Coordinates of all heavy atoms in Angstrom, one line a residue:
S1 N -107.9 -9.8 30.7 CA -109.3 -9.3 30.6 C -110.1 -10.4 29.9 O -109.6 -11.1 29.1 CB -109.3 -8.0 29.9 OG -110.5 -7.5 29.8
K2 N -111.4 -10.4 30.1 CA -112.2 -11.3 29.3 C -113.5 -10.6 29.0 O -113.9 -9.6 29.6 CB -112.4 -12.6 30.1 CG -113.3 -12.5 31.3 CD -113.4 -13.9 31.9 CE -114.5 -13.9 33.0 NZ -114.6 -15.2 33.5
G3 N -114.2 -11.1 28.1 CA -115.5 -10.6 27.8 C -115.6 -10.1 26.3 O -114.7 -10.3 25.5
I4 N -116.6 -9.4 26.1 CA -116.9 -8.8 24.7 C -117.1 -7.3 24.9 O -117.9 -6.9 25.8 CB -118.1 -9.5 24.1 CG1 -117.7 -11.0 23.9 CG2 -118.4 -8.8 22.8 CD1 -118.9 -11.8 23.3
E5 N -116.5 -6.5 24.1 CA -116.8 -5.1 24.1 C -118.2 -4.8 23.8 O -118.8 -5.2 22.8 CB -115.9 -4.3 23.1 CG -115.9 -2.9 23.3 CD -114.9 -2.2 22.4 OE1 -114.9 -2.5 21.2 OE2 -114.1 -1.4 22.9
Q6 N -118.9 -4.1 24.7 CA -120.3 -3.9 24.6 C -120.8 -3.3 23.3 O -121.7 -3.8 22.7 CB -120.8 -3.1 25.8 CG -122.3 -3.1 25.9 CD -122.8 -2.4 27.2 OE1 -122.0 -2.0 28.0 NE2 -124.1 -2.4 27.4
N7 N -120.2 -2.2 22.9 CA -120.7 -1.5 21.7 C -120.4 -2.2 20.4 O -121.1 -2.1 19.4 CB -120.2 -0.1 21.7 CG -120.8 0.7 22.8 OD1 -121.9 0.4 23.3 ND2 -120.1 1.8 23.2
T8 N -119.2 -2.8 20.3 CA -118.7 -3.4 19.0 C -118.9 -4.9 18.9 O -118.7 -5.5 17.8 CB -117.3 -3.0 18.8 OG1 -116.5 -3.7 19.8 CG2 -117.1 -1.5 18.8
L9 N -119.0 -5.5 20.0 CA -119.1 -7.0 20.2 C -117.7 -7.6 19.8 O -117.6 -8.8 19.4 CB -120.2 -7.6 19.3 CG -121.6 -7.1 19.7 CD1 -122.6 -7.8 18.8 CD2 -121.9 -7.4 21.1
K10 N -116.6 -6.9 19.9 CA -115.3 -7.4 19.6 C -114.8 -8.2 20.8 O -115.1 -7.8 22.0 CB -114.3 -6.2 19.3 CG -114.6 -5.6 18.0 CD -113.6 -4.5 17.8 CE -113.8 -3.8 16.4 NZ -112.9 -2.7 16.2
L11 N -114.0 -9.2 20.5 CA -113.3 -10.0 21.6 C -112.2 -9.1 22.1 O -111.7 -8.2 21.4 CB -112.8 -11.3 21.1 CG -113.9 -12.3 20.6 CD1 -113.3 -13.5 19.9 CD2 -114.8 -12.7 21.7
M12 N -111.7 -9.4 23.3 CA -110.6 -8.6 23.9 C -109.3 -8.7 23.0 O -108.6 -7.7 23.0 CB -110.3 -9.1 25.3 CG -111.5 -8.8 26.3 SD -111.8 -7.0 26.5 CE -113.2 -6.8 25.4
S13 N -109.1 -9.8 22.4 CA -107.9 -9.8 21.5 C -108.0 -8.9 20.3 O -107.0 -8.3 19.9 CB -107.7 -11.3 21.0 OG -108.8 -11.7 20.3
Q14 N -109.2 -8.7 19.8 CA -109.5 -7.8 18.8 C -109.3 -6.3 19.2 O -108.8 -5.5 18.5 CB -110.9 -8.0 18.2 CG -111.0 -9.3 17.5 CD -112.4 -9.7 17.2 OE1 -113.3 -9.5 18.0 NE2 -112.7 -10.2 16.0
V15 N -109.8 -6.0 20.4 CA -109.7 -4.7 21.0 C -108.2 -4.4 21.2 O -107.7 -3.3 20.9 CB -110.4 -4.6 22.3 CG1 -110.2 -3.3 23.0 CG2 -111.9 -4.8 22.1
L16 N -107.4 -5.4 21.7 CA -106.0 -5.2 22.0 C -105.3 -4.8 20.6 O -104.5 -3.9 20.6 CB -105.4 -6.5 22.6 CG -103.9 -6.4 22.8 CD1 -103.5 -5.5 23.9 CD2 -103.4 -7.8 23.1
Q17 N -105.6 -5.6 19.6 CA -104.9 -5.3 18.3 C -105.3 -3.9 17.8 O -104.5 -3.3 17.1 CB -105.3 -6.4 17.3 CG -104.7 -7.7 17.6 CD -105.2 -8.9 16.8 OE1 -106.0 -8.7 15.9 NE2 -104.7 -10.1 17.1
E18 N -106.5 -3.5 18.0 CA -107.0 -2.2 17.6 C -106.3 -1.1 18.4 O -105.9 -0.1 17.8 CB -108.5 -2.1 17.7 CG -109.1 -0.8 17.3 CD -110.6 -0.8 17.5 OE1 -111.3 -1.6 16.8 OE2 -111.1 0.0 18.2
V19 N -106.2 -1.2 19.7 CA -105.7 -0.2 20.6 C -104.1 -0.2 20.5 O -103.5 0.9 20.6 CB -106.2 -0.4 22.0 CG1 -105.5 0.5 23.0 CG2 -107.7 -0.3 22.1
L20 N -103.5 -1.3 20.4 CA -102.1 -1.4 20.3 C -101.6 -2.1 19.0 O -101.1 -3.2 19.0 CB -101.5 -2.2 21.5 CG -101.8 -1.6 22.9 CD1 -101.5 -2.6 24.0 CD2 -101.2 -0.3 23.1
P21 N -101.8 -1.4 17.9 CA -101.4 -2.0 16.6 C -99.9 -2.4 16.4 O -99.6 -3.2 15.6 CB -101.8 -1.0 15.6 CG -101.8 0.3 16.3 CD -102.2 0.0 17.7
E22 N -99.1 -1.8 17.2 CA -97.7 -2.1 17.2 C -97.3 -3.4 17.8 O -96.2 -3.9 17.6 CB -96.8 -1.0 17.8 CG -96.9 -0.8 19.3 CD -98.2 0.0 19.8 OE1 -99.0 0.4 19.0 OE2 -98.3 0.1 21.0
V23 N -98.2 -4.0 18.6 CA -98.0 -5.3 19.2 C -98.1 -6.4 18.2 O -99.1 -6.4 17.4 CB -98.9 -5.5 20.4 CG1 -98.8 -6.9 20.9 CG2 -98.7 -4.5 21.5
D24 N -97.1 -7.3 18.1 CA -97.1 -8.4 17.1 C -98.2 -9.4 17.6 O -98.1 -10.0 18.6 CB -95.7 -9.0 17.1 CG -95.7 -10.2 16.2 OD1 -96.6 -10.4 15.4 OD2 -94.6 -10.9 16.2
S25 N -99.3 -9.4 16.8 CA -100.4 -10.3 17.1 C -100.0 -11.8 17.2 O -100.7 -12.6 17.8 CB -101.6 -10.1 16.2 OG -101.2 -10.4 14.9
A26 N -98.9 -12.1 16.5 CA -98.5 -13.5 16.6 C -98.0 -13.9 17.9 O -97.9 -15.1 18.3 CB -97.4 -13.8 15.5
R27 N -97.7 -12.9 18.8 CA -97.2 -13.2 20.1 C -98.3 -13.1 21.2 O -98.0 -13.3 22.4 CB -96.1 -12.2 20.5 CG -94.9 -12.4 19.5 CD -93.7 -11.5 19.9 NE -93.4 -11.8 21.3 CZ -92.4 -11.3 22.0 NH1 -91.5 -10.6 21.3 NH2 -92.2 -11.6 23.2
C28 N -99.5 -12.7 20.8 CA -100.6 -12.6 21.7 C -101.2 -14.0 22.0 O -101.5 -14.7 21.0 CB -101.7 -11.7 21.2 SG -101.1 -10.0 21.1
V29 N -101.5 -14.2 23.2 CA -102.0 -15.5 23.6 C -103.2 -15.3 24.6 O -103.1 -14.4 25.5 CB -101.0 -16.4 24.3 CG1 -101.6 -17.7 24.9 CG2 -99.8 -16.7 23.4
S30 N -104.3 -15.9 24.4 CA -105.4 -15.8 25.3 C -105.4 -17.0 26.3 O -105.1 -18.1 25.9 CB -106.7 -15.9 24.4 OG -106.8 -14.9 23.5
L31 N -105.7 -16.6 27.5 CA -105.7 -17.6 28.6 C -107.2 -17.8 29.1 O -107.9 -16.8 29.3 CB -104.8 -17.2 29.7 CG -103.3 -17.1 29.4 CD1 -102.6 -16.6 30.6 CD2 -102.8 -18.5 29.0
S32 N -107.5 -19.0 29.4 CA -108.8 -19.2 30.1 C -108.8 -20.5 30.9 O -108.0 -21.4 30.7 CB -109.9 -19.4 29.0 OG -111.2 -19.6 29.6
G33 N -109.6 -20.5 31.9 CA -109.6 -21.7 32.8 C -110.3 -21.4 34.1 O -110.7 -20.2 34.4
T34 N -110.5 -22.4 34.8 CA -111.2 -22.2 36.1 C -110.1 -22.1 37.2 O -110.0 -22.9 38.1 CB -112.1 -23.4 36.4 OG1 -111.3 -24.6 36.3 CG2 -113.2 -23.5 35.4
S35 N -109.3 -21.0 37.1 CA -108.3 -20.7 38.1 C -108.7 -19.6 39.0 O -109.2 -18.6 38.5 CB -107.0 -20.4 37.4 OG -107.1 -19.3 36.6
F36 N -108.6 -19.8 40.3 CA -108.9 -18.8 41.3 C -107.6 -18.5 42.0 O -106.9 -19.4 42.4 CB -109.9 -19.3 42.2 CG -111.2 -19.7 41.6 CD1 -111.6 -21.0 41.2 CD2 -112.1 -18.7 41.2 CE1 -112.7 -21.3 40.6 CE2 -113.3 -18.9 40.6 CZ -113.6 -20.3 40.3
A37 N -107.3 -17.2 42.2 CA -106.0 -16.8 42.8 C -105.8 -17.5 44.1 O -104.7 -17.9 44.4 CB -106.0 -15.3 42.9
R38 N -106.8 -17.6 44.9 CA -106.6 -18.2 46.3 C -106.2 -19.7 46.1 O -105.3 -20.1 46.8 CB -107.9 -18.1 47.1 CG -107.8 -18.9 48.4 CD -109.0 -18.7 49.2 NE -108.8 -17.6 50.0 CZ -109.7 -17.0 50.8 NH1 -110.9 -17.4 50.8 NH2 -109.4 -16.0 51.5
E39 N -106.8 -20.4 45.2 CA -106.4 -21.8 45.0 C -105.1 -22.0 44.4 O -104.3 -22.9 44.8 CB -107.5 -22.5 44.1 CG -108.9 -22.6 44.8 CD -109.9 -23.2 44.0 OE1 -109.7 -23.5 42.8 OE2 -111.1 -23.3 44.5
V40 N -104.7 -21.1 43.5 CA -103.3 -21.1 42.9 C -102.3 -20.9 44.0 O -101.3 -21.6 44.1 CB -103.2 -20.1 41.8 CG1 -101.7 -20.0 41.3 CG2 -104.1 -20.5 40.6
A41 N -102.6 -19.9 44.9 CA -101.7 -19.5 46.0 C -101.6 -20.7 47.0 O -100.5 -20.9 47.6 CB -102.2 -18.3 46.7
Q42 N -102.6 -21.4 47.1 CA -102.6 -22.6 48.0 C -102.1 -23.8 47.4 O -102.1 -24.9 47.9 CB -104.1 -22.9 48.5 CG -104.6 -21.8 49.4 CD -106.1 -22.1 49.7 OE1 -106.8 -22.7 49.0 NE2 -106.5 -21.5 50.8
V43 N -101.6 -23.7 46.1 CA -101.0 -24.8 45.3 C -101.9 -25.9 45.1 O -101.6 -27.1 45.1 CB -99.6 -25.3 46.0 CG1 -98.8 -26.1 45.0 CG2 -98.8 -24.1 46.4
L44 N -103.2 -25.6 44.9 CA -104.2 -26.6 44.6 C -104.1 -26.8 43.1 O -103.7 -25.9 42.3 CB -105.6 -26.1 45.0 CG -105.8 -26.0 46.5 CD1 -107.2 -25.3 46.8 CD2 -105.7 -27.3 47.2
P45 N -104.5 -28.0 42.6 CA -104.5 -28.3 41.2 C -105.3 -27.3 40.3 O -106.4 -27.0 40.7 CB -105.1 -29.7 41.0 CG -104.9 -30.3 42.4 CD -105.0 -29.1 43.4
T46 N -104.7 -26.8 39.3 CA -105.3 -25.8 38.4 C -105.0 -26.1 37.0 O -103.9 -26.5 36.6 CB -104.7 -24.4 38.7 OG1 -105.0 -24.1 40.1 CG2 -105.4 -23.3 37.9
D47 N -106.0 -26.0 36.1 CA -105.8 -26.2 34.7 C -106.3 -24.9 34.0 O -107.2 -24.2 34.4 CB -106.7 -27.3 34.2 CG -106.3 -28.7 34.6 OD1 -105.1 -28.8 34.9 OD2 -107.1 -29.6 34.7
L48 N -105.6 -24.6 32.9 CA -106.1 -23.5 32.0 C -105.6 -23.8 30.6 O -104.9 -24.8 30.3 CB -105.6 -22.2 32.4 CG -104.1 -21.9 32.6 CD1 -103.5 -21.6 31.3 CD2 -103.9 -20.7 33.5
V49 N -106.1 -23.0 29.6 CA -105.8 -23.2 28.2 C -105.2 -21.9 27.7 O -105.7 -20.8 28.0 CB -107.1 -23.5 27.4 CG1 -106.7 -23.7 25.9 CG2 -107.7 -24.8 27.9
A50 N -104.1 -22.1 26.9 CA -103.4 -21.0 26.3 C -103.7 -21.1 24.8 O -103.4 -22.2 24.2 CB -101.9 -21.0 26.6
A51 N -104.2 -20.1 24.1 CA -104.5 -20.2 22.7 C -104.0 -19.0 21.9 O -104.0 -17.9 22.4 CB -106.1 -20.3 22.5
S52 N -103.6 -19.3 20.7 CA -103.1 -18.2 19.8 C -103.7 -18.4 18.4 O -103.9 -19.5 17.9 CB -101.6 -18.3 19.7 OG -101.1 -17.4 18.8
T53 N -103.9 -17.3 17.7 CA -104.5 -17.3 16.4 C -103.4 -17.6 15.4 O -103.7 -18.0 14.2 CB -105.1 -15.9 16.0 OG1 -104.1 -14.9 16.2 CG2 -106.3 -15.6 16.8
H54 N -102.1 -17.5 15.7 CA -101.1 -17.7 14.7 C -100.3 -19.0 15.0 O -99.2 -19.0 15.4 CB -100.1 -16.5 14.8 CG -100.7 -15.2 14.3 ND1 -100.9 -14.9 13.0 CD2 -101.3 -14.2 15.0 CE1 -101.5 -13.8 12.9 NE2 -101.8 -13.3 14.1
G55 N -101.0 -20.1 14.8 CA -100.4 -21.4 15.0 C -100.2 -21.7 16.5 O -100.7 -21.0 17.4
M56 N -99.5 -22.7 16.8 CA -99.4 -23.2 18.2 C -98.1 -22.8 18.9 O -98.0 -22.9 20.0 CB -99.4 -24.8 18.2 CG -100.7 -25.4 17.7 SD -102.0 -25.1 18.8 CE -101.6 -26.3 20.1
A57 N -97.2 -22.1 18.1 CA -95.9 -21.8 18.7 C -96.0 -20.9 20.0 O -95.5 -21.2 21.0 CB -95.0 -21.1 17.7
A58 N -96.8 -19.8 19.9 CA -96.9 -18.9 21.0 C -97.7 -19.6 22.2 O -97.3 -19.5 23.3 CB -97.6 -17.6 20.6
A59 N -98.7 -20.3 21.8 CA -99.5 -21.0 22.9 C -98.6 -22.1 23.6 O -98.7 -22.2 24.8 CB -100.7 -21.7 22.3
K60 N -97.8 -22.8 22.8 CA -97.0 -23.8 23.4 C -95.9 -23.2 24.3 O -95.5 -23.7 25.3 CB -96.4 -24.7 22.4 CG -97.4 -25.7 21.8 CD -96.8 -26.7 20.9 CE -97.8 -27.7 20.4 NZ -97.3 -28.8 19.7
N61 N -95.4 -22.0 23.9 CA -94.4 -21.3 24.7 C -95.0 -20.9 26.0 O -94.4 -21.1 27.1 CB -93.9 -20.1 23.9 CG -92.8 -19.4 24.6 OD1 -92.0 -20.0 25.2 ND2 -92.7 -18.1 24.4
V62 N -96.2 -20.4 26.0 CA -96.9 -20.0 27.3 C -97.2 -21.3 28.1 O -97.0 -21.3 29.3 CB -98.2 -19.2 27.0 CG1 -99.0 -19.1 28.3 CG2 -97.8 -17.9 26.5
Q63 N -97.6 -22.4 27.4 CA -97.8 -23.6 28.1 C -96.6 -24.1 28.9 O -96.7 -24.5 30.1 CB -98.2 -24.7 27.1 CG -98.4 -26.1 27.7 CD -98.6 -27.1 26.6 OE1 -98.2 -27.0 25.5 NE2 -99.4 -28.2 27.0
E64 N -95.4 -24.0 28.2 CA -94.2 -24.5 28.9 C -93.8 -23.5 30.0 O -93.4 -24.0 31.1 CB -93.1 -24.5 27.9 CG -93.2 -25.6 26.8 CD -92.2 -25.5 25.7 OE1 -91.2 -24.7 25.8 OE2 -92.4 -26.3 24.7
M65 N -94.0 -22.2 29.9 CA -93.7 -21.3 31.0 C -94.5 -21.5 32.2 O -94.1 -21.3 33.3 CB -93.8 -19.8 30.5 CG -92.7 -19.4 29.5 SD -92.7 -17.7 29.1 CE -94.3 -17.5 28.2
L66 N -95.8 -21.8 32.0 CA -96.7 -21.9 33.2 C -96.7 -23.3 33.8 O -97.3 -23.5 34.9 CB -98.1 -21.6 32.7 CG -98.3 -20.1 32.3 CD1 -99.8 -19.9 31.8 CD2 -97.9 -19.1 33.4
H67 N -96.2 -24.3 33.2 CA -96.3 -25.7 33.7 C -95.6 -25.8 35.0 O -94.5 -25.4 35.2 CB -95.7 -26.7 32.7 CG -95.8 -28.1 33.1 ND1 -96.9 -28.8 33.0 CD2 -94.9 -28.9 33.7 CE1 -96.7 -30.0 33.5 NE2 -95.5 -30.1 34.0
A68 N -96.3 -26.4 35.9 CA -95.8 -26.7 37.3 C -96.5 -28.0 37.8 O -97.5 -28.4 37.2 CB -96.0 -25.5 38.2
P69 N -96.0 -28.6 38.9 CA -96.7 -29.8 39.3 C -98.2 -29.6 39.6 O -99.0 -30.5 39.4 CB -95.9 -30.1 40.6 CG -94.5 -29.6 40.4 CD -94.8 -28.3 39.6
S70 N -98.6 -28.5 40.1 CA -100.0 -28.3 40.4 C -100.7 -27.3 39.5 O -101.8 -26.9 39.7 CB -100.2 -27.8 41.9 OG -99.6 -26.5 42.0
F71 N -100.0 -26.8 38.5 CA -100.5 -25.9 37.5 C -100.3 -26.4 36.1 O -99.1 -26.4 35.6 CB -99.8 -24.5 37.7 CG -100.6 -23.4 37.2 CD1 -101.5 -22.6 37.9 CD2 -100.4 -23.0 35.8 CE1 -102.2 -21.6 37.4 CE2 -101.0 -21.9 35.3 CZ -102.0 -21.2 36.1
R72 N -101.3 -26.8 35.4 CA -101.2 -27.4 34.1 C -101.8 -26.5 33.1 O -103.0 -26.0 33.2 CB -101.9 -28.7 34.1 CG -101.9 -29.5 32.8 CD -100.8 -30.5 32.6 NE -100.1 -30.9 33.8 CZ -99.9 -32.2 34.1 NH1 -100.3 -33.1 33.3 NH2 -99.2 -32.5 35.2
A73 N -101.1 -26.2 32.0 CA -101.6 -25.4 30.9 C -101.7 -26.3 29.7 O -100.8 -27.1 29.5 CB -100.7 -24.2 30.6
Y74 N -102.7 -26.1 28.9 CA -102.9 -26.8 27.6 C -102.8 -25.8 26.5 O -103.3 -24.7 26.6 CB -104.2 -27.6 27.6 CG -104.3 -28.6 28.7 CD1 -104.8 -28.3 30.0 CD2 -103.8 -29.9 28.5 CE1 -104.8 -29.3 31.0 CE2 -103.8 -30.9 29.5 CZ -104.3 -30.5 30.7 OH -104.4 -31.5 31.7
A75 N -102.2 -26.2 25.4 CA -102.1 -25.3 24.2 C -103.3 -25.6 23.3 O -103.7 -26.7 23.1 CB -100.8 -25.5 23.5
S76 N -103.7 -24.5 22.6 CA -104.8 -24.6 21.7 C -104.6 -23.6 20.5 O -104.0 -22.6 20.7 CB -106.2 -24.3 22.4 OG -107.2 -24.2 21.4
N77 N -105.2 -23.9 19.4 CA -105.1 -22.9 18.3 C -106.5 -22.4 18.0 O -106.9 -21.9 16.9 CB -104.6 -23.6 17.0 CG -105.4 -24.7 16.5 OD1 -106.4 -25.1 17.2 ND2 -105.0 -25.3 15.4
D78 N -107.4 -22.3 19.1 CA -108.7 -21.8 19.0 C -109.0 -20.7 20.0 O -109.7 -20.9 21.0 CB -109.7 -23.0 19.2 CG -111.2 -22.5 19.1 OD1 -111.5 -21.5 18.6 OD2 -112.0 -23.3 19.7
P79 N -108.3 -19.5 19.7 CA -108.5 -18.4 20.7 C -109.9 -17.9 20.8 O -110.3 -17.5 21.9 CB -107.6 -17.4 20.2 CG -107.4 -17.7 18.7 CD -107.5 -19.2 18.6
I80 N -110.7 -18.0 19.8 CA -112.1 -17.5 19.8 C -112.8 -18.4 20.8 O -113.6 -17.9 21.7 CB -112.7 -17.5 18.5 CG1 -112.1 -16.4 17.6 CG2 -114.3 -17.3 18.6 CD1 -112.5 -16.4 16.2
G81 N -112.6 -19.7 20.7 CA -113.3 -20.6 21.7 C -112.8 -20.4 23.1 O -113.6 -20.5 24.1
V82 N -111.5 -20.1 23.2 CA -111.0 -19.9 24.6 C -111.5 -18.6 25.1 O -111.8 -18.5 26.3 CB -109.4 -19.9 24.5 CG1 -108.8 -19.4 25.8 CG2 -108.9 -21.3 24.2
E83 N -111.5 -17.5 24.3 CA -112.0 -16.2 24.8 C -113.5 -16.3 25.1 O -114.0 -15.7 26.0 CB -111.8 -15.2 23.7 CG -110.3 -14.8 23.7 CD -110.1 -13.6 22.8 OE1 -110.6 -12.5 23.1 OE2 -109.4 -13.7 21.8

């Protein structure tokens, strides 16, 4: 999901932490990029960014899981910028 909650102006990661407090926020990663499902399915080159508020470990883990010849993920420690 992306965007900002209309009434509170909270980012989606903040809403997630509020609604699901039992989820370890250190494992939450935000994804962003110009990826379109049709282009990914057609194996066209795609880039996106994975970002985590708790250091780079979770973001790098997602980066490694998503890496493929036509699908490139970059890790970031700036989830607010990514969101």
Side-chain angles (χ1 to χ4, degrees):
S1 179
K2 69 180 191 178
I4 297 174
E5 189 176 50
Q6 189 171 2
N7 294 334
T8 65
L9 301 180
K10 290 181 181 178
L11 297 171
M12 292 297 101
S13 60
Q14 295 168 317
V15 173
L16 177 68
Q17 290 171 3
E18 181 179 297
V19 173
L20 299 172
E22 69 278 3
V23 173
D24 180 6
S25 61
R27 296 184 57 172
C28 292
V29 175
S30 299
L31 297 174
S32 182
T34 54
S35 58
F36 298 99
R38 174 178 270 171
E39 293 177 359
V40 173
Q42 293 173 335
V43 195
L44 295 174
T46 301
D47 290 335
L48 58 81
V49 178
S52 174
T53 55
H54 295 278
M56 296 289 285
K60 286 186 177 188
N61 189 29
V62 170
Q63 176 187 28
E64 291 173 11
M65 287 190 294
L66 295 178
H67 181 78
S70 65
F71 198 92
R72 179 94 19 132
Y74 297 92
S76 170
N77 61 356
D78 181 17
I80 292 173
V82 168
E83 286 188 62

